[in-house]
Amino acid sequence: MTQSRKIIHIDMDCFYAAVEMRDNESLRNVPLAVGGTGPRSVLCTCNYQARKFGVRSAMPAIKAMQLCPDLVIVSGRMAVYQEVSAQIRAIFQRYTQLIEPLSLDEAFLDVTHNKEFNGSATLIAEQIRRDIFNELNLTASAGVAPNKFIAKIASDENKPNGQCVVTPADVSGFVENLPLKKIPGIGPKTAQKLLGYGFSSCADIRASSVAVLTPIVGKFAPALYQRSFGIDHRQLETDRVRKSLAIETTFSQDLSCEKECESAVELLYEKLLVRLEKHQHMVISKQGIKLKFNDFTQTTVEQQSSHCDENTFKQLLLKALLRSQSRGIRLIGLTLGFAEHNNKETQQLCFSL
């Protein structure tokens, strides 16, 4: 009989804001957000006091201040967050080497074969959360389940500073009435589209078929159908390879002409080159540009490219601007895509055989 996997999803509670509250006593009992303070800035995250007012991550700062006039917004300290994230990762490594980081503040851990606590994933998760609190004075929530999909959803069930365990026997019941919008990969637009076809929960998906779902969600249909039964065979990606590099900026005032946008691209390009220096071993496969308009819609234009070229970005800019329809430009972003086999040394070795 195959042993059920034991997957833990650890998710730090309002991570950036929690670090700021920990390091600055005056911020501990006020509604707090981390992000830019300008009128066009967007919040990275906020604490739970702020969330009571409807403030959310990715919300424009000006809207957040309207919802919560007493909101305190502080600039992020990415170097500090990265350092704390490394400390959290070191705690994970005491219990398993099978770790898939999703971001600075969350990760999957596979503890299927661990011997600590008589192999109890529940007790391991509790100890990890205890270690994080005792050593870093931060709280984390955890989901414990037989697969990544269930574990990630479970970690959100008892936030903040909580834990949810879903045993193999509980999976079907846990998932059956789950709203589709909670499934990773289903954004607001897709959820609304599914609702238009009468699908609002996993129970609705179970009663359907992959053939019916395919015209609605495309290639995601087989995975969605499996998720509705709580099935997820994905292994942890413990050696995740960077697939892209990006840089973007939001302007305090909309850009309205090609020359202004071109100047912005030139500045972003210089910053992108600095970031690229840390990834010289990567093989570039494409370049892209993203524009966000003043109505918050956005467009992306990409093309294949073997190196980072400023003129290529400017050509992509011209193509993207054709879609502006006289709307102001709120944001410009530059991206580089890396080849799947993206180690230059490995690529050169293959060519020499």
Side-chain angles (χ1 to χ4, degrees), residues 246-290:
I247 188 168
E248 62 184 37
T249 186
T250 300
F251 307 109
S252 57
Q253 293 184 333
D254 294 337
L255 304 188
S256 57
C257 70
E258 178 186 322
K259 188 170 183 61
E260 289 177 334
C261 293
E262 189 173 283
S263 296
V265 166
E266 291 172 355
L267 292 173
L268 284 171
Y269 177 75
E270 293 301 322
K271 294 180 179 179
L272 185 64
L273 288 180
V274 173
R275 294 191 180 185
L276 186 59
E277 288 178 359
K278 299 179 181 179
H279 306 283
Q280 289 298 317
H281 62 290
M282 308 296 259
V283 176
I284 296 171
S285 61
K286 64 182 177 181
Q287 291 181 230
I289 192 163
K290 177 175 76 173

Side-chain angles (χ1 to χ4, degrees), residues 180 190-200:
L180 297 181
T190 303
Q192 193 63 37
K193 185 177 181 181
L194 284 163
L195 186 61
Y197 284 89
F199 299 106
S200 63

Side-chain angles (χ1 to χ4, degrees), residues 126-291:
E126 288 177 350
Q127 186 61 50
I128 288 173
R129 293 173 50 238
R130 193 176 299 119
D131 290 349
I132 290 172
F133 181 76
N134 290 339
E135 299 173 30
L136 304 177
N137 198 23
L138 297 169
T139 64
S141 297
V144 182
N147 61 51
K148 292 166 64 173
F149 164 56
I150 302 295
K152 184 169 176 63
I153 292 174
S155 67
D156 198 46
E157 287 292 296
N158 295 316
K159 268 186 166 292
N161 195 24
Q163 184 165 312
C164 176
V165 178
V166 182
T167 67
D170 295 334
V171 165
S172 182
F174 180 80
V175 174
E176 183 175 12
N177 295 313
L178 189 74
L180 297 181
K181 63 183 180 181
K182 285 195 172 185
I183 297 179
I186 295 185
K189 289 184 179 180
T190 303
Q192 193 63 37
K193 185 177 181 181
L194 284 163
L195 186 61
Y197 284 89
F199 299 106
S200 63
S201 70
C202 284
D204 299 328
I205 298 296
R206 290 181 183 183
S208 186
S209 67
V210 173
V212 171
L213 294 169
T214 298
I216 305 173
V217 296
K219 294 180 180 179
F220 188 57
L224 176 57
Y225 188 70
Q226 286 192 329
R227 300 294 185 272
S228 73
F229 290 93
I231 299 171
D232 181 10
H233 298 302
R234 292 174 301 160
Q235 300 296 315
L236 267 63
E237 298 178 28
T238 56
D239 296 313
R240 179 169 290 185
V241 177
R242 176 180 282 274
K243 296 180 180 179
S244 63
L245 186 67
I247 188 168
E248 62 184 37
T249 186
T250 300
F251 307 109
S252 57
Q253 293 184 333
D254 294 337
L255 304 188
S256 57
C257 70
E258 178 186 322
K259 188 170 183 61
E260 289 177 334
C261 293
E262 189 173 283
S263 296
V265 166
E266 291 172 355
L267 292 173
L268 284 171
Y269 177 75
E270 293 301 322
K271 294 180 179 179
L272 185 64
L273 288 180
V274 173
R275 294 191 180 185
L276 186 59
E277 288 178 359
K278 299 179 181 179
H279 306 283
Q280 289 298 317
H281 62 290
M282 308 296 259
V283 176
I284 296 171
S285 61
K286 64 182 177 181
Q287 291 181 230
I289 192 163
K290 177 175 76 173
L291 300 185

Side-chain angles (χ1 to χ4, degrees), residues 15-16 19 77-89 104 242 278:
F15 181 53
Y16 295 175
V19 172
R77 298 180 295 156
M78 188 55 63
V80 175
Y81 308 146
Q82 290 172 335
E83 180 182 355
V84 176
S85 180
Q87 294 169 334
I88 295 168
R89 175 72 177 264
L104 291 180
R242 176 180 282 274
K278 299 179 181 179

Side-chain angles (χ1 to χ4, degrees), residues 14 17 30-36 41-74:
C14 59
V30 300
L32 174 70
V34 177
S41 299
V42 174
L43 304 184
C44 295
T45 190
C46 59
N47 66 3
Y48 289 96
Q49 291 98 312
R51 295 181 192 191
K52 293 177 182 178
F53 293 86
V55 178
R56 295 289 183 270
S57 61
M59 177 179 285
I62 191 167
K63 180 178 180 181
M65 292 299 296
Q66 290 170 351
L67 291 172
C68 181
D70 294 327
L71 182 68
V72 177
I73 303 177
V74 299

Side-chain angles (χ1 to χ4, degrees), residues 104-115:
L104 291 180
D105 63 339
E106 63 174 317
F108 288 114
L109 287 69
D110 189 330
V111 296
T112 304
H113 301 293
N114 283 42
K115 305 301 182 185

